[in-house]
Amino acid sequence: LKTAFSYAVEWGLLLKSPIPREAPKSTSEERAIWDEKTMLAALQTMTDPTLHLAVHLSMILSLRVGEILGLQPGDIDFDAADGRGTITVGRSLQRTEKAALKKPKTKKSSRTLYLTRPFKEELLAWLEKLRQDELAMDGRYRNCGQLFRLPNGMPVAPEALSKWYRTWRAEHPEFEKIVFHGLRHSSATYQLIESGGNI
């Protein structure tokens, strides 16, 4: 735009350019990440099973908040990969006027990922917890179909998950302060280092 308006002034089409002479100053902030030991130590302090599972997903599989909350039980195949198990990411929960499932951010965001043994065990325990929640509600349970649900069966909103994480973070100042998305960055960095990838 600056070039176009400069020519307009030069050609006499405008008296003065509406574009400021100085471009706004851009500030960049380097995001902090955690190493493997810090990720594991943080996970061990999380007593809330919903937050623990969400953080575990982000740390192990490098998932975004929306991808985590967009998962459904049918996305998990415990017998795939010779019993190792896989989870398929194919949608994202996003908040508009109300929660809506959408396609992931990019085409490559749809992917199938391998489970680790501890993560597989946690998922099995989580599915049992969902079953127990439904039994306890005595017909009042509203199964939204998502893997992440409130005790009444309704979906967990992205804002709620972020709030629970911020509350945990405030209670644990011993860990370097990172946003929830920083867990994804930490995971991706760790995986690149371990695999000898080109950072």
Side-chain angles (χ1 to χ4, degrees):
L1 284 174
K2 190 171 185 177
T3 303
F5 280 116
S6 295
Y7 277 121
V9 171
E10 188 180 314
W11 297 337
L13 300 171
L14 289 174
L15 293 174
K16 181 180 172 191
S17 173
I19 303 291
R21 287 181 188 169
E22 295 297 321
K25 301 266 187 283
S26 66
T27 56
S28 64
E29 184 181 331
E30 190 172 315
R31 281 196 176 165
I33 61 168
W34 289 343
D35 61 17
E36 177 194 13
K37 288 179 184 173
T38 306
M39 287 191 275
L40 291 173
L43 203 56
Q44 289 171 352
T45 67
M46 295 180 187
T47 55
D48 179 292
T50 308
L51 181 62
H52 190 282
L53 181 61
V55 168
H56 202 173
L57 268 162
S58 188
M59 288 179 174
I60 298 296
L61 304 177
S62 306
L63 298 185
R64 300 174 179 95
V65 171
E67 292 173 336
I68 291 168
L69 298 178
L71 291 171
Q72 297 176 345
D75 297 329
I76 306 165
D77 186 344
F78 291 107
D79 300 319
D82 296 324
R84 182 172 177 188
T86 60
I87 192 162
T88 301
V89 179
R91 70 193 74 75
S92 179
L93 184 75
Q94 296 174 0
R95 194 66 147 158
T96 48
E97 286 183 23
K98 55 184 180 178
L101 288 172
K102 304 199 179 241
K103 289 182 179 178
K105 192 172 178 181
T106 66
K107 284 183 182 179
K108 288 186 179 181
S109 293
S110 293
R111 58 212 186 271
T112 299
L113 305 163
Y114 294 105
L115 305 180
T116 62
R117 187 179 297 115
F119 184 57
K120 187 176 180 179
E121 290 168 8
E122 186 174 0
L123 280 171
L124 287 165
W126 177 258
L127 292 173
E128 178 58 25
K129 178 196 173 303
L130 294 182
R131 196 178 73 76
Q132 294 299 326
D133 285 348
E134 187 165 4
L135 290 173
M137 286 294 288
D138 194 30
R140 294 172 289 135
Y141 192 79
R142 298 178 63 191
N143 186 343
C144 65
Q146 299 307 110
L147 181 63
F148 282 84
R149 302 176 209 160
L150 298 171
N152 65 2
M154 296 301 290
V156 172
E159 302 82 29
L161 183 58
S162 295
K163 181 182 176 186
W164 298 337
Y165 175 74
R166 284 193 306 272
T167 301
W168 169 85
R169 199 177 64 191
E171 293 168 355
H172 292 275
E174 68 271 27
F175 296 105
E176 187 174 4
K177 194 173 174 181
I178 65 171
V179 296
F180 193 96
H181 195 74
L183 302 172
R184 172 177 158 82
H185 287 248
S186 300
S187 172
T189 302
Y190 171 71
Q191 290 178 40
L192 278 168
I193 291 167
E194 284 297 297
S195 65
N198 185 334
I199 294 176

